[in-house]
């Protein structure tokens, strides 16, 4: 087993807002290993983007972070801001959501890549531009388009520019937040193959944040499923896809076009006052009596499987055999373990 | 059919609610509230000027000219022995009068033209907007100066001059609002149901334009008061013996070195008044969540 | 971009055509017969009817109004603004003589206002909601409310009459320009500071600033390379509108400080009922203002690639 490149330990993130305290991430523990692609999936608003930004400490001052984010032995949360800057871009690259908003409209695409080399590697203008051109070629854009401005690129092309920026300094870890959102199917596949290919070629790792289970299944080695600010399931891609242990994962799988196209019913819960017990119980079709009262812990199974559900203890769940024989007491026992 | 109407109304209500003046927010904005209180204070001064002022603002007493402030004359007297305190108080009538009159006239005229222009579009829009451009091609104080100067000094010239220069701001603002509202679904739906454009304008578009117009109007009162006193200061507006702050300032210049209170108090009164309206306007704008408008700021 | 500039140019020619009409008809605002008004101004109270008639024919007031306008416009196209009705000086020559003084005042005021406003606005945005920011914004709100003529008098009273540091009026040396430029400059800076702050705050909230931070840049690089250029875009547009304020403010400030510029010329001509001079000044100012907005629009296009590289189809 390869050693973790990044490990997040018991991370809590909350925001103070006028409506109350938003608990965006609660008790997140994750690791991204060397040369691994970890898919982080979940619906919009479940806190996955917050987690991605938190790793590089890009959240606004209103956010409170507790826990540990350890990258190659350094706890990023305790670093002074100046030290933190060395990690951004150089050690950990990030592609934030929505490339058209993330690129400065008044600077050309090429210069936005070149400035990274000039700043971090002290290159001269010419050299940096040349290197930026190479980087553009690498992501499939002709280097002659480097002098063009963001608004002159199409959505897919912008995403390629973002890839070039994210990987410009050959970071050990790339965090890609929804790199395929808003793209058509063909472009989606191209972009995702491109990112994964480059990451693998560099022997880097990637945290792929997406709501798209299909893309995650195609690219990732392992998948972590997030729901309402919590990790509800982690496991190898094949296991998660073939044998989902958490009802939410199962529902997500069913929502795929090839697998029934059934959307997950109900609304995502509020992160200010999340449901009691299991966060998913109001929408869960296997709900037990205990689920609304007791908050299940993340439980380990064979291999590296972790699931946050009482049912999973009894093996594979399926729609026909949701047997409510688990009562509150045995659930409590699980909690204590 | 009724279902469609209901839906239209619901979306419109939701839209209005989302935009509705946030009084809680406004209440929290202490400076804005103090602006409103200052305005109330000024209105009282203007309404009850005869009761508050200790002297007749026009009464000259040549034996007591250029007196320094005292209990009898709180702000002193001018070269003709007139009580500056009383004149300053009566001045609120003139300045507020001009401000309110001009803003009332221009906001109505400008809003109507803007509505027409934005809703009808086409040639009418083109013509109105070019006229707006032409009027705005002159720095407005200069246009006002020329108009008021050539019409001859006096209250009505000042009002006319300022009304002529200030209406385009409303027309542009409202036209912009209308264009963005027109795209919204509820106006489209209302159009489909009831094609009378007057009805749609009155019922659906006008109410949605009112808030920015109110904000602009409040800030415009401040501008108009400054402009009016600038005209009077230059000798092209209200003239002595009428107690206008700008013309009082002008009259005080020869005595600037020795008896500076002649210029000090009227000036302070202008600042105080303008400040009140600027504060209230800013507060209103913040409560409405509107971005700072460059064109409003520009004057 | 050329298409954009051409469009703006076409628009401005229409506006300037309208401006000439307004400038011309301004004369008819004056109550009474223009010939009589001018004769009164020129010869004093004891004028005879024949003097008025001579003047009417000499200055072309006997023709119908639209013919007068056409004739005037014809001269205008040859850059002939006519002669002063009072002093018989050539209007354009007169304006040209006064132009340097106004230009000096305008440039000095603009410099002063930017020197105050940009640092104040940037600092306010960077230190948002601190005491420093709040006091800056309070001062600027007070600044917006102070009429420039009062500020001018205050400066005269303090620096000229009390401290004797600068002359209170006149033109010539560097010392003369200090007070007028300070008056205009500070009164303009209040608004610019507020706009700079608001605009920078908006830019700093944009996602591309977070993205720049994610690339490991320090805050200074982000501010100077990523934020300011975007934040200055509205400030540049605003500068165009401020040019109008500058010209308008110049009228008042030039009058207070007896600064021999176009503004003072305009006010003096209004008092003298010198219609052709008033027309000339107003027209000149409006054209200058329009051209400056055009210049600003072009500058904006140069600064903002979204306009510069507009699709050319």
């Amino acid at each position: 087993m390869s050693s973790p490149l990044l490990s997040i330990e018991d991370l809590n993130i909350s925001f103070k807002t006028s409506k109350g305290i938003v608990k965006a991430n609660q008790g997140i523990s994750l690791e991204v290993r060397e040369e691994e692609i970890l898919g982080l999936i979940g619906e919009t608003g479940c806190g996955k983007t917050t987690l991605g930004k938190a790793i590089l400490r890009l959240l606004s001052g209103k956010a409170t972070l507790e826990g540990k984010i350890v990258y190659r032995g350094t706890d990023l949360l305790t670093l002074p801001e100046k030290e933190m800057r060395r990690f951004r871009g150089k050690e950990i690259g990030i592609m934030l959501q929505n490339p058209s908003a993330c690129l400065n409209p008044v600077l050309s695409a090429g210069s936005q890549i070149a400035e990274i080399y000039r700043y971090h590697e002290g290159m001269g203008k010419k050299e940096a531009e040349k290197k930026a051109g190479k980087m553009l070629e690498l992501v499939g854009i002709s280097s002659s388009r480097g002098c063009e401005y963001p608004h002159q690129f199409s959505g897919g092309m912008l995403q390629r520019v973002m890839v070039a920026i994210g990987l410009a300094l050959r970071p050990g870890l790339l965090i890609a937040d929804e790199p395929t959102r808003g793209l058509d199917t063909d472009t989606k596949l191209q972009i995702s193959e491109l990112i994964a290919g480059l990451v693998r070629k560099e022997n880097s790792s990637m945290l792929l944040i997406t709501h798209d289970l299909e893309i995650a299944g195609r690219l990732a080695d392992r998948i972590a499923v997030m729901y309402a600010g919590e990790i509800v399931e982690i496991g190898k891609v094949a296991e998660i896809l073939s044998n989902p242990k958490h009802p939410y994962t199962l529902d997500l799988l069913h929502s795929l076009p090839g697998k029934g196209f059934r959307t997950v019913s109900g609304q995502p819960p509020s992160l200010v006052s999340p449901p009691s017990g299991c966060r998913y119980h109001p929408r869960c079709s296997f709900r037990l009596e205990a689920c609304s009262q007791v908050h299940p812990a993340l439980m380990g199974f064979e291999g590296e499987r972790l699931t946050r559900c009482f049912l999973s203890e009894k093996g594979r769940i399926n729609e026909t055999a949701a047997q409510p024989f688990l009562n509150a007491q045995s659930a409590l026992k699980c909690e204590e373990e | 059919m009724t279902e469609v109407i209901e839906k239209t109304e619901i979306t419109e209500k939701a839209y209005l609610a989302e935009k509705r003046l946030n009084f809680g927010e406004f209440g929290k904005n202490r400076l804005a509230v103090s602006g409103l209180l200052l305005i109330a204070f000024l209105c009282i001064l203007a309404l009850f000027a005869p009761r508050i002022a200790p002297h007749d603002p026009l009464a000259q007493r040549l034996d007591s000219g250029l007196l320094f402030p005292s209990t009898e004359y709180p702000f002193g007297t001018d070269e003709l022995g007139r009580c500056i305190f009383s004149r300053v108080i009566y001045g609120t009538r003139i300045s507020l009068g001009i401000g309110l009159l001009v803003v009332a006239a221009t906001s109505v005229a400008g809003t109507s033209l803007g509505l027409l222009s934005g809703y009808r579009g086409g040639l009418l829009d083109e013509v109105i907007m070019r006229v707006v451009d032409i009027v705005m091609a002159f720095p407005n104080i200069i246009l006002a100066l020329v108009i008021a100067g050539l019409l001859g000094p006096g209250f009505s010239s000042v009002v006319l001059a300022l009304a002529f220069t200030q209406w385009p701001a409303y027309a542009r603002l409202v036209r912009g609002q209308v264009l963005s509202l027109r795209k919204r679904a509820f106006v489209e739906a209302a159009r489909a149901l009831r094609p009378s454009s007057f009805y749609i304008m009155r019922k659906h578009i006008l109410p949605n334009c009112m808030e920015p117009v109110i904000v602009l109007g409040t800030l415009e009162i401040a501008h108009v008061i400054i402009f009016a006193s600038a005209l009077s200061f230059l000798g092209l507006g209200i003239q002595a013996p009428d107690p206008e702050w700008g013309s009082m300032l002008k009259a005080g210049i020869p005595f600037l070195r020795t008896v500076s209170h002649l210029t000090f108090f009227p000036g302070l009164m202008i600042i105080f008044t303008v400040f009140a309206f600027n504060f209230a306007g800013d507060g209103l704008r913040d409560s409405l969540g509107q971005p700072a408008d460059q064109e409003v700021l520009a004057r | 971009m050329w298409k954009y500039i051409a469009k703006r140019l076409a628009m401005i020619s229409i506006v300037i055509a309208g401006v000439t009409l307004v400038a011309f008809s301004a004369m008819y605002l004056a109550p009474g017969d223009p010939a009589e008004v001018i004769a009164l101004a020129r010869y004093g109270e004891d004028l005879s009817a024949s003097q008025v008639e001579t003047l009417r024919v000499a200055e072309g007031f006997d023709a119908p109004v639209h013919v007068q306008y056409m004739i005037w416009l014809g001269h205008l196209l040859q850059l002939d603004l006519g002669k002063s009705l009072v002093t018989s000086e050539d209007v354009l020559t007169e304006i040209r003589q006064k132009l340097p003084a106004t230009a000096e005042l305008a440039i000095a005021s603009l410099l002063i206002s930017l020197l105050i406003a940009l640092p104040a606005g940037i600092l306010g945005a960077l230190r948002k909601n601190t005491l420093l920011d709040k006091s800056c914004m309070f001062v600027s709100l007070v600044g917006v409310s102070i009429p420039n003529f009062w500020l001018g008098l205050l400066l005269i009273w303090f620096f000229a009459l009390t401290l004797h540091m600068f002359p209170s009026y006149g033109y010539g040396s560097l010392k003369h320009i200090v007070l007028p430029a300070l008056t205009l400059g500070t009164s303009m800076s209040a608004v610019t500071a507020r706009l700079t702050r608001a605009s920078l705050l908006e830019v700093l909230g944009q996602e591309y600033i977070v993205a720049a931070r994610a690339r490991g840049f320090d805050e200074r690089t982000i501010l100077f390379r990523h934020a300011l250029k975007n934040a200055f875009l509205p400030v540049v547009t605003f500068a165009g509108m401020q040019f109008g304020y500058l010209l308008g403010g110049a009228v008042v400030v030039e009058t207070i400080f007896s600064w021999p510029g176009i503004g003072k010329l305009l006010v003096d001509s209004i008092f003298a009922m010198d219609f052709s001079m008033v027309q000339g000044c107003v027209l000149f100012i409006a054209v200058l203002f329009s051209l400056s907005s055009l210049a600003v629009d072009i500058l904006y296009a140069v600064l903002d690639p979204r306009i510069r590289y507009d699709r050319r189809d």
Side-chain angles (χ1 to χ4, degrees):
Chain A
M1 196 172 104
S2 46
S3 65
L5 174 72
L6 175 86
S7 75
I8 299 168
E9 291 161 33
D10 200 23
L11 181 71
N12 289 305
I13 304 173
S14 55
F15 296 92
K16 275 199 189 99
T17 67
S18 55
K19 285 171 192 155
I21 294 170
V22 176
K23 297 166 209 117
N25 278 196
Q26 277 192 29
I28 302 283
S29 292
L30 264 185
E31 54 188 36
V32 182
R33 296 163 192 163
E34 297 278 3
E35 296 175 37
E36 177 194 58
I37 295 180
L38 175 70
L40 180 65
I41 60 169
E43 61 198 338
T44 312
C46 74
K48 53 191 195 307
T49 295
T50 307
L51 178 61
K53 280 187 174 176
I55 295 171
L56 280 174
R57 292 196 4 215
L58 294 172
L59 296 171
S60 75
K62 283 176 203 148
T64 327
L65 282 80
E66 289 161 12
K68 271 186 179 173
I69 299 177
V70 181
Y71 178 83
R72 286 194 170 139
T74 318
D75 184 0
L76 301 182
L77 290 187
T78 57
L79 283 181
E81 181 64 23
K82 206 177 155 200
E83 294 281 301
M84 187 63 216
R85 258 181 244 134
R86 281 193 309 115
F87 284 85
R88 294 186 186 135
K90 208 159 190 170
E91 297 288 339
I92 307 176
I94 189 167
M95 296 166 58
L96 295 169
Q97 260 183 59
N98 191 0
S100 59
C102 289
L103 288 165
N104 194 329
V106 301
L107 298 176
S108 71
S111 76
Q112 292 191 55
I113 304 172
E115 67 176 346
I116 299 175
Y117 295 119
R118 297 188 67 186
Y119 184 88
H120 286 281
E121 300 186 351
M123 281 187 195
K125 197 171 177 205
K126 281 252 169 68
E127 201 187 347
E129 271 167 8
K130 222 169 132 191
K131 191 126 188 235
K134 267 188 199 153
M135 203 64 215
L136 281 175
E137 298 277 358
L138 193 66
V139 296
I141 301 177
S142 151
S143 58
S144 63
R145 291 196 70 185
C147 58
E148 290 186 18
Y149 289 86
H151 74 278
Q152 292 168 293
F153 288 89
S154 67
M157 282 302 187
L158 280 182
Q159 200 55 266
R160 284 173 194 267
V161 176
M162 293 300 285
V163 177
I165 289 175
L167 292 175
L169 297 171
R170 300 165 186 266
L173 173 68
L174 177 70
I175 301 169
D177 191 355
E178 298 282 11
T180 56
R181 171 169 277 179
L183 300 177
D184 60 68
T185 323
D186 283 351
T187 326
K188 208 183 239 182
L189 290 178
Q190 281 171 20
I191 296 285
S192 51
E193 298 290 336
L194 172 77
I195 302 175
L198 288 173
V199 168
R200 300 254 191 239
K201 205 173 89 190
E202 297 283 335
N203 298 327
S204 307
S205 305
M206 171 155 80
L207 176 64
L208 174 69
I209 300 171
T210 177
H211 67 286
D212 192 331
L213 195 54
E214 208 172 355
I215 294 292
R218 193 182 278 263
L219 305 182
D221 301 309
R222 288 190 307 140
I223 283 183
V225 183
M226 200 164 177
Y227 184 79
E230 289 183 330
I231 300 289
V232 293
E233 185 158 21
I234 306 179
K236 290 218 170 80
V237 168
E239 287 172 6
I240 295 264
L241 295 185
S242 61
N243 179 20
K245 285 193 187 280
H246 196 282
Y248 177 58
T249 317
L250 184 72
D251 286 349
L252 277 181
L253 277 173
H254 281 308
S255 71
L256 286 179
K259 304 232 169 118
F261 220 0
R262 261 197 331 220
T263 50
V264 182
S265 62
Q267 292 293 313
S270 136
L271 292 175
V272 178
S273 48
S276 60
C278 171
R279 298 276 156 86
Y280 194 58
H281 85 261
R283 298 165 82 182
C284 182
S285 36
F286 308 100
R287 182 173 53 227
L288 305 172
E289 204 186 322
C291 295
S292 60
Q293 292 151 20
V294 186
H295 187 223
L298 210 52
M299 291 172 280
F301 291 92
E302 74 282 354
E304 305 158 24
R305 204 59 189 282
L306 290 170
T307 305
R308 196 185 285 280
C309 180
F310 297 127
L311 282 167
S312 54
E313 205 186 21
K314 298 294 161 192
R316 185 192 170 114
I317 45 169
N318 56 58
E319 284 126 298
T320 47
Q323 293 140 356
F325 55 77
L326 210 71
N327 58 30
Q329 265 137 24
S330 65
L332 270 172
K333 238 199 284 172
C334 295
E335 180 80 323
E336 281 159 15
E337 278 170 14
Chain B
M1 187 85 174
T2 42
E3 202 185 329
V4 180
I5 295 174
E6 270 168 20
K7 274 200 179 143
T8 317
E9 301 242 310
I10 289 167
T11 36
E12 182 169 2
K13 267 189 193 136
Y15 174 69
L16 278 175
E18 158 205 327
K19 277 197 59 180
R20 172 95 336 126
L21 192 99
N22 192 337
F23 278 105
E25 197 83 343
F26 187 77
K28 270 189 235 157
N29 192 337
R30 263 188 245 150
L31 293 178
V33 173
S34 48
L36 274 190
L37 289 177
L38 292 183
I39 293 175
F41 173 68
L42 286 165
C43 290
I44 291 171
L45 278 190
L47 284 175
F48 300 105
R51 284 171 177 247
I52 298 167
H55 298 275
D56 178 351
L58 301 180
Q60 303 181 3
R61 287 178 58 194
L62 293 175
D63 55 325
S64 53
L66 297 175
L67 289 181
F68 278 92
S70 62
T71 41
E72 160 113 54
Y73 299 103
F75 290 177
T77 60
D78 65 6
E79 75 279 11
L80 298 172
R82 292 175 296 205
C83 169
I84 294 179
F85 184 64
S86 307
R87 288 176 69 73
V88 161
I89 289 175
Y90 271 90
T92 41
R93 290 189 156 186
I94 298 178
S95 288
L96 286 188
I98 293 176
L100 293 175
L101 215 60
V102 169
V103 166
T106 51
S107 59
V108 170
T111 304
S112 321
L113 287 170
L115 276 178
L116 261 177
S117 189
Y119 197 78
R120 279 285 168 76
L123 187 64
L124 187 70
D125 175 35
E126 207 45 46
V127 170
I128 294 178
M129 281 304 118
R130 287 303 81 73
V131 175
V132 164
D133 285 346
I134 289 167
V135 176
M136 283 187 145
F138 299 90
N140 36 16
I141 181 79
I142 284 180
L143 195 55
L145 192 84
V146 170
I147 296 175
L150 294 178
L151 281 176
F155 187 84
S156 51
S157 316
V158 173
V159 171
L160 269 176
L162 289 174
F164 185 74
T165 54
Q166 300 308 100
W167 65 270
Y170 300 92
R172 246 191 207 172
L173 174 78
V174 172
R175 177 176 177 269
Q177 288 280 317
V178 174
L179 289 186
S180 73
L181 282 169
R182 266 181 62 154
K183 290 193 197 117
R184 288 185 183 262
F186 62 81
V187 179
E188 284 299 322
R191 261 158 98 106
L193 295 170
R194 224 169 142 161
S196 150
S197 52
F198 178 73
Y199 176 82
I200 293 168
M201 274 206 244
R202 193 176 59 80
K203 188 88 184 169
H204 293 273
I205 292 183
L206 185 60
N208 286 307
C209 295
M210 278 330 286
E211 286 170 358
V213 168
I214 290 170
V215 173
L216 178 65
T218 314
L219 293 170
E220 273 284 309
I221 293 181
H223 290 137
V224 167
I225 289 176
I226 285 202
F227 286 165
S229 55
L231 292 183
S232 307
F233 177 80
L234 291 172
L236 298 166
I238 316 278
Q239 293 194 314
D242 284 340
E244 206 281 343
W245 298 328
S247 65
M248 287 168 74
L249 273 178
K250 179 186 165 68
I253 295 180
F255 310 100
L256 193 58
R257 187 207 295 265
T258 45
V259 272
S260 40
H261 63 263
L262 251 61
T263 45
F264 186 72
F265 290 114
L268 218 57
M269 213 43 202
I270 301 176
I271 296 171
F272 184 73
T273 312
V274 171
F275 194 62
F277 283 101
N278 274 337
F279 259 21
D282 264 24
L284 277 170
R285 183 172 51 207
D286 290 349
S287 321
L288 290 171
Q290 286 179 353
D293 188 336
Q294 292 174 23
E295 265 178 33
V296 178
L297 280 172
R299 279 65 147 346
Chain C
M1 180 161 85
W2 294 110
K3 200 180 158 192
Y4 169 79
I5 293 175
K7 223 167 111 186
R8 294 289 301 139
L9 261 176
M11 203 84 114
I12 275 181
S13 355
I14 298 175
V15 168
I16 288 180
V19 163
T20 61
L21 193 63
V22 174
F24 177 79
S25 45
M27 176 165 78
Y28 288 90
L29 284 173
D33 172 15
E36 227 176 277
V37 175
I38 295 162
L40 247 166
R42 203 180 280 182
Y43 309 114
E45 292 292 332
D46 50 335
L47 76 163
S48 65
S50 68
Q51 273 176 316
V52 175
E53 284 320 302
T54 323
L55 189 138
R56 189 188 309 278
V57 177
E59 303 291 349
F61 287 124
D62 51 341
V65 179
H66 63 275
V67 177
Q68 285 183 42
Y69 174 62
M70 282 326 218
I71 293 172
W72 182 75
L73 207 58
H75 288 303
L76 190 64
L77 288 177
Q78 302 161 39
L79 288 182
D80 175 11
L81 289 174
K83 290 195 178 350
S84 159
L85 296 176
V86 176
T87 61
S88 301
E89 293 278 345
D90 185 60
V91 171
L92 195 64
T93 316
E94 189 87 350
I95 290 177
R96 220 183 276 152
Q97 278 169 4
K98 307 283 186 189
L99 187 61
T102 298
E104 282 164 28
L105 179 62
I107 292 169
S109 313
L110 198 65
L111 280 180
I112 290 177
S113 83
L114 292 180
L115 274 176
I116 300 173
L118 296 185
I122 292 171
L123 230 82
L126 292 182
R127 306 261 176 280
K128 191 190 167 195
N129 286 338
T130 58
L131 190 68
L132 179 78
D133 171 36
K134 282 186 176 159
S135 37
C136 270
M137 286 308 111
F138 184 80
V139 169
S140 87
L141 197 57
V142 177
V144 180
S145 310
I146 296 180
N148 48 19
F149 48 92
W150 193 74
L151 185 64
L153 291 183
L154 201 69
L155 291 179
I156 289 179
W157 174 75
F158 190 69
F159 288 107
L161 300 181
T162 310
L163 295 181
H164 301 287
M165 277 172 73
F166 301 107
S168 65
Y169 65 89
Y171 174 69
S173 74
L174 202 63
K175 269 192 162 181
H176 283 97
I177 205 172
V178 174
L179 292 186
L182 213 58
T183 307
L184 253 184
T186 42
S187 63
M188 277 199 315
S189 66
V191 193
T192 315
R194 287 164 72 79
L195 183 70
T196 307
R197 175 181 178 269
S199 163
L200 184 55
L201 272 182
E202 198 196 318
V203 168
L204 287 178
Q206 296 290 319
E207 198 63 17
Y208 55 77
I209 297 297
V210 180
R213 209 166 280 145
R215 288 164 215 166
F217 301 142
D218 58 25
E219 293 301 310
R220 234 186 67 191
T221 311
I222 292 172
L223 176 69
F224 284 103
R225 204 177 140 72
H226 285 266
L228 283 187
K229 200 174 171 194
N230 287 288
F232 281 159
L233 286 176
V235 179
V236 165
T237 325
F238 183 64
M241 285 187 246
Q242 274 222 312
F243 192 72
Y245 178 85
L246 209 60
L247 290 169
V251 173
V252 178
V253 172
E254 285 177 6
T255 309
I256 299 175
F257 291 95
S258 299
W259 188 262
I262 294 171
K264 187 165 186 315
L265 178 67
L266 175 63
V267 174
D268 291 345
S269 322
I270 294 176
F271 275 116
M273 286 289 168
D274 189 346
F275 295 130
S276 53
M277 191 65 87
V278 172
Q279 283 171 345
C281 287
V282 167
L283 194 65
F284 185 81
I285 290 172
V287 170
L288 202 62
F289 186 28
S290 302
L291 291 181
S292 77
S293 351
L294 178 69
V296 164
D297 284 343
I298 294 173
L299 182 63
Y300 193 101
V302 170
L303 288 178
D304 190 343
R306 282 164 291 188
I307 298 179
R308 194 180 345 152
Y309 296 105
D310 212 7
R311 293 209 176 94
R312 299 178 189 88
D313 47 327

